[in-house]
Amino acid sequence: MIRVDAVWLAVQPLDMRLGTEAALARVVGVFGAAHPNHAYLFTNRRANRMKVLVHDGIGVWLAARRLNAGKFVWPADTATTLQLTRTQFNALVLGLPWQRLGDAGIIRVI
């Protein structure tokens, strides 16, 4: 199991053809550094594909997820990056409206 202490989301889309080194360079460019045990999320322009880069303290892992139908709920006009809770991340990867989830799984209107 890969340990993840924090999940960060980049608002700007990423070219899904990029490999590990280019994705790591993008993480450093957007977030300033790749911290150990942090996960960094990117999507493509259509928001139907996501890449997750995780720095485990020794190396980096790069995973991809594609939705066969629908889109990931991705913020449009907000800050450059956002930090997600574990509950929000779990909802995001399923394509659910994670932005409405608050503390203790309470659903709120935004």
Side-chain angles (χ1 to χ4, degrees):
M1 186 61 118
I2 301 169
R3 180 177 144 203
V4 175
D5 296 333
V7 178
W8 296 91
L9 180 142
V11 175
Q12 296 300 316
L14 177 74
D15 183 350
M16 291 292 125
R17 297 173 292 183
L18 295 180
T20 306
E21 297 303 321
L24 179 58
R26 182 72 180 272
V27 166
V28 172
V30 171
F31 296 95
H35 297 279
N37 304 313
H38 285 210
Y40 302 91
L41 311 176
F42 295 92
T43 188
N44 61 345
R45 289 196 188 280
R46 292 186 297 183
N48 65 343
R49 296 175 189 261
M50 180 189 332
K51 280 204 174 178
V52 179
L53 186 133
V54 178
H55 176 19
D56 65 5
I58 299 170
V60 294
W61 297 80
L62 184 64
R65 179 163 174 84
R66 178 183 62 130
L67 293 178
N68 290 325
K71 296 180 174 189
F72 293 108
V73 180
W74 216 261
D77 296 323
T78 62
T80 307
T81 64
L82 297 170
Q83 185 172 11
L84 303 181
T85 65
R86 176 68 64 169
T87 304
Q88 289 173 324
F89 172 73
N90 291 342
L92 171 66
V93 297
L94 293 174
L96 299 174
W98 60 271
Q99 294 161 314
R100 295 183 183 174
L101 293 176
D103 297 329
I106 299 169
I107 297 175
R108 298 192 175 123
V109 176
I110 55 171

